Amino acid sequence: MEKLPKVALPVIIFFIIVIVVISKSTITIQGGERGVLYKTLGNGIVTDKPALDEGFQFILPWNTVQRFNVRQQEYFDEMKVLSSNGLDIQLDATIWYQPQQENLGFLYKEKGIDYLSTIVRPALRSSTREVVGRYTPEEIYSSKRAIIQKEIFDETKAILDAQFVQLNKVLVRDVTLPKTIRDAIERKLGQEQEFLEYEFRLQKASKEAEKVIIEARGKADANRILSASLTDKILQDKGIEATLKLAQSQNSKIVIIGSGKNGMPIILGNN
């Protein structure tokens, strides 16, 4: 085997060095990621410049880049918390969160990579305990669920905003009480429902009674007005009008004129 020319060895070494330098000087940041630059010969983590965008990036070979997932992420937690009267409550919650892209450098520098364990989870648990501790099991189980969810969101968001994490949503998925407490609450709610139905029936009956009374009063007033307006002259005219109508009828009858009270005709027959 012939020996390589003396010039070939330096060329090969040069290309190897170039390849190593290029591999160390480029990085590909995937979709949904951002990169935080670390300057080995500088001030360390870069916080005064935006994070590196997704795509192909050039860096100095002695620097490094830490990738962060900046998409919305989901975290589910099961917690045991105490109500206002000291009873244990199992609460399941889901949160949607993501790092603040404009503050990725500070997040990396001050909180580290595993900020879910060091920031997000403790903030959620602390806020949940604080909020649930204001309410009774009955309020948590029935009427205050939406209010509690909003309060947990507000308090958790206030903590995470100062820690360079963006909170998008908190969902209280399930609330589990001790069986004895849950049964007692359900019985109480059932009794309250029955009472409301009874109250409704009483109000309905009262309204119907008022309606009957008002109708009766209306009829009585109408009769009094009618009686006051019917004079003897009007009654006599009505009687004459009725007699004329009977006389014009096809049925046979006997009419005696002037024999009735007040001179009104008397109808004796209609055969």
Side-chain angles (χ1 to χ4, degrees):
M1 184 176 179
E2 297 182 359
K3 294 183 178 180
L4 292 172
K6 291 183 179 180
V7 71
L9 185 59
V11 171
I12 293 173
I13 294 174
F14 173 77
F15 277 107
I16 292 174
I17 293 174
V18 169
I19 292 171
V20 171
V21 170
I22 292 175
S23 66
K24 291 290 186 179
S25 301
T26 60
I27 185 172
T28 301
I29 299 176
Q30 302 298 325
E33 293 182 341
R34 297 294 184 273
V36 178
L37 182 64
Y38 179 87
K39 293 184 176 180
T40 305
L41 302 179
N43 295 323
I45 297 173
V46 175
T47 58
D48 57 349
K49 293 181 180 180
L52 301 177
D53 207 346
E54 57 189 44
F56 194 73
Q57 302 287 346
F58 286 96
I59 61 172
L60 295 175
W62 49 83
N63 293 338
T64 59
V65 173
Q66 176 62 50
R67 296 181 180 89
F68 277 86
N69 181 0
V70 294
R71 292 191 179 104
Q72 177 174 277
Q73 301 166 67
E74 181 183 63
Y75 172 66
F76 170 75
D77 201 355
E78 297 178 349
M79 295 167 278
K80 281 190 176 181
V81 292
L82 298 178
S83 64
S84 61
N85 54 2
L87 292 175
D88 284 332
I89 295 174
Q90 176 77 33
L91 188 144
D92 299 343
T94 296
I95 63 172
W96 296 339
Y97 70 97
Q98 59 194 109
Q100 297 174 1
Q101 294 190 35
E102 66 277 12
N103 291 316
L104 274 180
F106 292 104
L107 178 64
Y108 184 29
K109 187 179 184 70
E110 298 183 16
K111 311 303 174 183
I113 301 171
D114 190 18
Y115 61 92
L116 170 61
S117 299
T118 58
I119 299 174
V120 176
R121 186 184 183 196
L124 174 63
R125 291 195 158 215
S126 174
S127 299
T128 302
R129 291 191 181 98
E130 180 70 23
V131 171
V132 172
R134 302 170 189 160
Y135 297 94
T136 65
E138 182 179 349
E139 291 173 328
I140 298 169
Y141 187 73
S142 56
S143 60
K144 302 293 186 179
R145 186 100 166 244
I147 297 175
I148 291 171
Q149 179 173 285
K150 184 179 183 305
E151 289 183 1
I152 293 175
F153 171 81
D154 291 341
E155 298 205 9
T156 306
K157 188 176 187 305
I159 296 173
L160 295 183
D161 281 347
Q163 306 295 323
F164 317 115
V165 178
Q166 175 181 318
L167 181 65
N168 298 333
K169 189 77 172 179
V170 172
L171 302 172
V172 176
R173 300 177 59 180
D174 190 27
V175 177
T176 304
L177 305 179
K179 187 176 184 305
T180 54
I181 302 300
R182 187 173 65 251
D183 292 344
I185 291 174
E186 289 177 350
R187 285 195 301 270
K188 181 179 179 181
L189 292 175
Q191 292 171 356
E192 290 178 352
Q193 185 62 34
E194 291 177 357
F195 176 76
L196 291 175
E197 291 177 359
Y198 178 71
E199 285 282 317
F200 174 76
R201 289 197 297 269
L202 286 180
Q203 291 178 4
K204 185 178 179 181
S206 176
K207 293 293 183 183
E208 291 177 350
E210 290 179 4
K211 180 181 177 182
V212 172
I213 293 172
I214 291 172
E215 290 177 350
R217 287 175 178 171
K219 290 180 180 179
D221 291 342
N223 290 334
R224 283 196 298 271
I225 294 171
L226 182 60
S227 297
S229 64
L230 292 177
T231 63
D232 292 341
K233 177 62 176 173
I234 292 175
L235 290 174
Q236 187 175 10
D237 290 342
K238 292 291 184 181
I240 294 171
E241 182 181 343
T243 303
L244 291 174
K245 289 182 179 180
L246 287 173
Q248 294 171 0
S249 171
Q250 298 298 324
N251 298 325
S252 61
K253 74 284 295 175
I254 299 174
V255 180
I256 302 175
I257 304 298
S259 297
K261 186 179 180 182
N262 298 326
M264 294 296 295
I266 297 176
I267 311 299
L268 297 180
N270 58 353
N271 295 324

